[in-house]
Amino acid sequence: MAAKDDNINRSETVVVWDIGVRLFHWLLVLTIAVAAYTGFFGRKSQIDFHVIAGASAAALVAFRLIWGIWGTTYARFSSFMTPPGKTLHHARHIIGSRGHVTMGHNPLGGWMIVVLLALVAAVAITGTVTLGGVVKEGPLAPFVSFATGFGIREVHYYLALVLAISVGVHILGAVFESLRIRENLMRSMVTGCKQARPDAETAPTRSARPIVALGATVILAAITIPAVMHFSALPVPGVPTEPMNATYAKECGACHVPHHPSVAPAATWKAIFANLQDHFGENASLTPELTDKLRAYALANSSEKWDTRVANVMRRPSKEHPLRITDAPIWKRIHSHFPDKLFKSKAIGGKLNCTNCHRDAETGLFAPRNISIKRENKK
């Protein structure tokens, strides 16, 4: 039979977590869950949900930083950011004994909050860089190259993994602490109340300054939102903006869906136009003048001329079939999880019909949100 703790009156509770802290906590749980699912398991076309969730998490962190300065007693960083010595002392004494009890976050939990906030901010920042460089969207798109964005993409991925692991550690820590002090801490983050404990360590009472916090939030939003909108609207270097050449689209489209020239390097286009009389088993000969005109257009817009994701990854053609776009190593890897019968379906009509899945294929951008896999209508 467990010994009774006479210092704890379980019928009395005290409000510890204000509504701002609780809303922040559960909204952050939601946004991180959505961002993690769409990032690790979701389809590329779900990028909008991923970006919205990530941006919302970043906004929540900004709010928490403000509320951590001007919020209620236990919302403030000063109530749980303890010196390293005290934190280590707490860590040594929680194993094998009850140790001391804190009314707010204990020293280990407090530093875990700081780590989680820093990780969310880092994931959001690297995600914005990746969005700008790889997808060519967002406020950093005018300033970040594909190479930079693609490199940061790896950092973003591993930071997200570290964040996911840290969230797991945080949950385990909350469960452990709940058992240690015999109180459901997750429920207290819903109700805001904890048991009144005469033996608990408390922080000096501080009155919230909601007007100051609101003013800081408004100022931050007034600076950030217009800045994001302004930079997101700037022209993005390395992204095609002109519509596909009408003559090129007409002549190439007479036999197959015309491809934006950025899907292949200059060497491929030179070889294609040098042998139109045997164009993949067909005679696609044109007049010399028209051939020269289309060749010039293709070379002026080949993959080397642009900085989109497609232009960068499609610069290395297949060694066995260098003129076949669909044999390029990256094309085969990206499409490897789609069965051949999907491409052979009437809805798709073959691997060359990019526009049947990529609604913006003719622009050369191939944005993830514009992916729509057409399926056969089952009767």
Side-chain angles (χ1 to χ4, degrees):
M1 183 175 178
K4 181 180 178 182
D5 191 339
D6 294 329
N7 291 325
I8 300 176
N9 185 342
R10 299 185 183 277
S11 64
E12 294 182 6
T13 60
V14 60
V15 177
V16 175
W17 309 121
D18 60 63
I19 186 64
V21 170
R22 285 178 281 151
L23 281 176
F24 159 79
H25 180 273
W26 295 113
L27 287 174
L28 191 65
V29 169
L30 175 63
T31 54
I32 289 179
V34 172
Y37 174 78
T38 54
F40 290 124
F41 310 108
R43 300 185 300 273
K44 289 184 178 180
S45 57
Q46 295 176 323
I47 187 172
D48 285 342
F49 296 103
H50 185 70
V51 172
I52 291 172
S56 299
L60 286 169
V61 169
F63 161 78
R64 187 65 182 90
L65 293 177
I66 292 173
W67 198 237
I69 299 173
W70 292 295
T72 53
T73 299
Y74 294 103
R76 298 195 179 205
F77 294 116
S78 59
S79 71
F80 58 81
M81 290 183 66
T82 55
K86 184 176 181 179
T87 304
L88 291 174
H89 180 270
H90 173 79
R92 286 197 299 266
H93 287 80
I94 62 174
I95 305 299
S97 65
R98 287 194 60 198
H100 81 287
V101 179
T102 56
M103 188 56 69
H105 292 300
N106 67 46
L108 286 176
W111 281 110
M112 175 56 77
I113 298 302
V114 174
V115 169
L116 288 173
L117 291 177
L119 282 172
V120 173
V123 171
I125 292 171
T126 54
T128 305
V129 175
T130 301
L131 182 70
V134 176
V135 187
K136 297 300 179 185
E137 296 179 358
L140 297 184
F143 313 105
V144 180
S145 67
F146 174 84
T148 299
F150 195 77
I152 294 298
R153 179 175 176 239
E154 290 293 304
V155 179
H156 177 68
Y157 175 79
Y158 287 111
L159 280 174
L161 281 180
V162 173
L163 175 59
I165 294 171
S166 299
V167 169
V169 172
H170 175 63
I171 293 172
L172 291 176
V175 172
F176 174 82
E177 186 71 358
S178 294
L179 296 174
R180 185 179 78 88
I181 67 175
R182 292 177 287 165
E183 182 173 9
N184 190 330
L185 296 181
M186 284 177 276
R187 182 174 60 191
S188 70
M189 191 54 73
V190 175
T191 64
C193 298
K194 297 180 72 174
Q195 295 168 5
R197 293 173 177 266
D199 61 334
E201 180 181 330
T202 60
T205 301
R206 304 292 298 274
S207 298
R209 302 181 66 184
I211 301 300
V212 177
L214 177 61
T217 303
V218 170
I219 292 173
L220 181 61
I223 295 172
T224 304
I225 295 175
V228 169
M229 294 176 63
H230 170 73
F231 291 118
S232 298
L234 293 178
V236 181
V239 175
T241 57
E242 297 294 328
M244 188 180 293
N245 180 276
T247 305
Y248 173 89
K250 176 184 177 182
E251 296 298 334
C252 295
C255 298
H256 58 78
V257 173
H259 303 109
H260 193 278
S262 64
V263 300
T268 297
W269 292 116
K270 287 179 180 179
I272 286 176
F273 282 101
N275 193 26
L276 287 178
Q277 64 271 21
D278 184 15
H279 188 63
F280 301 104
E282 300 288 339
N283 186 351
S285 298
L286 301 169
T287 65
E289 295 79 8
L290 189 54
T291 299
D292 290 342
K293 179 180 180 180
L294 298 186
R295 181 193 296 111
Y297 170 71
L299 294 179
N301 292 276
S302 63
S303 61
E304 295 92 342
K305 304 296 183 180
W306 303 109
D307 195 42
T308 61
R309 183 175 188 272
V310 167
N312 276 274
V313 302
M314 292 295 286
R315 288 174 189 164
R316 186 165 66 90
S318 165
K319 293 181 180 179
E320 294 78 16
H321 305 99
L323 303 188
R324 290 187 179 275
I325 295 171
T326 55
D327 276 351
I330 189 64
W331 192 99
K332 296 174 73 173
R333 184 175 68 81
I334 292 174
H335 298 83
S336 61
H337 60 288
F338 294 114
D340 286 339
K341 64 179 181 180
L342 175 65
F343 293 107
K344 295 177 181 178
S345 67
K346 292 182 179 179
I348 302 299
K351 294 181 178 180
L352 288 175
N353 292 333
C354 304
T355 54
N356 284 343
C357 294
H358 299 271
R359 295 191 299 269
D360 61 347
E362 292 185 357
T363 69
L365 187 57
F366 291 85
R369 72 165 50 80
N370 289 320
I371 297 175
S372 178
I373 309 300
K374 292 188 176 182
R375 309 281 181 175
E376 292 287 348
N377 292 324
K378 296 183 179 181
K379 297 182 180 180

